[in-house]
Amino acid sequence: MPPKEPTFTTFQNPLGCYFSATRPAFLSASLMSCLIGLATASHGNITLSPGLAAFTLMFGLMAHAGVNVLNDYYDALNGTDACNVERVFPFTGGSRFIQNGVLTLAQTARFGFALLFGVVLAGLWLMLRSAAQLLYIGGAGLFIGWAYSAPPFRLNSRGFGEVCVAVGFLLVTVGTDFVQRKGFAAAPFIAGLSYALLVTNLLYINQFPDRKADTAVGKLHWVARLDVWQARWGYVLIMALANGWLVLSVIYGWLPPLALTAGLALPLSIKAARQLFRHASHPQHLSEAIKLTIAAMLLHGLLLTLSLFMG
């Protein structure tokens, strides 16, 4: 049985309500990005600081939570979540907290911006304990997360959503490594890219159930711009880029040979792609494909992390 959407009576505890509004299950994506960053620092013979690592993880999760909440707010403003009848909850169509009367628009906006304000304070603290250049990473990440859905930029509506997600999650890995290393290095960029692309594929497949609603309000990402049968190939392209980059990184010696174990997640992506090709025009049947995409993403990230710690 699919999970039930949130209702006002579901959340009598305000703390539980606001916590659930961040879509906590999806925060595992940024958690894995942080772990890859810690692994690249360790692989570079950096002695990890547990305190800084824990604070960085909290910082990364809070940033992702703030972006999730504000995305709900801006999607409520443009009307896409309200008219989305093909959503596959809880994966697409937003958290439904606004649409089902659990939180108001104003409450959602205040909560989202409060989370990002907390991220700014945490980032400044981390900057004082690492190096000033962390400001560039954090500033770029916050801008991308906000401008993804906020006017006047609305980057996802202009076809830049996939780039935003790939860059945003890559910056989480780079920032986590930077805090430990106290400087820039190529390693987190190289190691984090394949995982960031697989996170991008999660966004990409999630846009199929949202396609009609997004198109109706002018949210023209690539799944909305292309014919649905053409759009399916985007998933395959991103999957191929992610795994191709992993193989090339090992061939050129940028990653240890053990990193190839991350490719064991590829069959999950292939199975998801087959289901997408079968059900793209009937997106209500894509729940299993979305779950496989999440599993492929997290398994790839976990095996990559372990290979760097062990390699």
Side-chain angles (χ1 to χ4, degrees):
M1 177 180 292
K4 294 181 180 180
E5 293 188 2
T7 62
F8 184 78
T9 56
T10 306
F11 295 100
Q12 299 299 320
N13 185 329
L15 290 178
C17 174
Y18 279 100
F19 175 71
S20 296
T22 66
R23 309 183 79 180
F26 294 96
L27 302 186
S28 58
S30 52
L31 172 63
M32 190 61 69
S33 288
C34 290
L35 293 178
I36 295 171
L38 293 174
T40 57
S42 176
H43 188 71
N45 295 319
I46 303 298
T47 301
L48 299 183
S49 166
L52 285 178
F55 201 81
T56 305
L57 289 173
M58 292 171 54
F59 164 55
L61 293 175
M62 187 183 295
H64 190 177
V67 170
N68 282 352
V69 173
L70 288 180
N71 185 59
D72 269 357
Y73 169 68
Y74 289 114
D75 277 352
L77 286 183
N78 65 37
T80 183
D81 285 347
C83 69
N84 191 335
V85 296
E86 293 190 335
R87 62 186 179 272
V88 179
F89 185 81
F91 306 112
T92 79
S95 70
R96 314 306 297 173
F97 272 68
I98 297 173
Q99 291 72 33
N100 295 352
V102 182
L103 292 175
T104 66
L105 267 173
Q107 288 173 323
T108 304
R110 286 195 295 267
F111 182 42
F113 283 112
L115 286 170
L116 292 194
F117 181 70
V119 171
V120 171
L121 296 180
L124 291 174
W125 188 87
L126 286 171
M127 186 180 70
L128 293 174
R129 280 150 184 81
S130 55
Q133 292 86 350
L134 183 64
L135 179 65
Y136 304 136
I137 303 172
L142 286 178
F143 174 77
I144 289 170
W146 170 76
Y148 173 85
S149 53
F153 298 99
R154 299 176 68 240
L155 295 176
N156 191 34
S157 301
R158 303 177 191 276
F160 296 105
E162 287 77 14
V163 174
C164 286
V165 170
V167 173
F169 279 90
L170 183 58
L171 286 175
V172 174
T173 297
V174 171
T176 304
D177 177 278
F178 184 96
V179 169
Q180 298 292 330
R181 198 185 297 266
K182 298 179 173 54
F184 286 106
F189 290 95
I190 294 168
L193 182 56
S194 60
Y195 174 75
L197 286 169
L198 292 180
V199 179
T200 303
N201 238 4
L202 176 59
L203 163 75
Y204 194 82
I205 196 170
N206 281 353
Q207 290 173 151
F208 282 85
D210 297 344
R211 183 175 184 271
K212 288 184 179 179
D214 288 347
T215 302
V217 301
K219 190 175 177 182
L220 301 179
H221 44 70
W222 283 105
V223 173
R225 290 168 185 261
L226 296 171
D227 177 90
V228 68
W229 298 105
Q230 295 174 326
R232 300 176 304 170
W233 288 99
Y235 187 95
V236 177
L237 174 61
I238 297 170
M239 175 183 71
L241 288 173
N243 288 278
W245 177 255
L246 175 70
V247 172
L248 284 175
S249 298
V250 172
I251 289 174
Y252 284 102
W254 302 332
L255 291 177
L258 196 58
L260 286 176
T261 58
L264 293 174
L266 179 58
L268 297 175
S269 293
I270 293 174
K271 187 175 181 180
R274 287 175 176 168
Q275 294 194 16
L276 175 61
F277 269 64
R278 188 179 305 120
H279 300 301
S281 60
H282 302 284
Q284 65 271 23
H285 299 305
L286 286 177
S287 177
E288 188 64 27
I290 293 171
K291 292 176 183 177
L292 286 167
T293 301
I294 294 171
M297 171 190 85
L298 294 177
L299 180 59
H300 180 102
L302 177 62
L303 294 173
L304 180 60
T305 298
L306 292 175
S307 73
L308 289 167
F309 274 121
M310 296 169 62

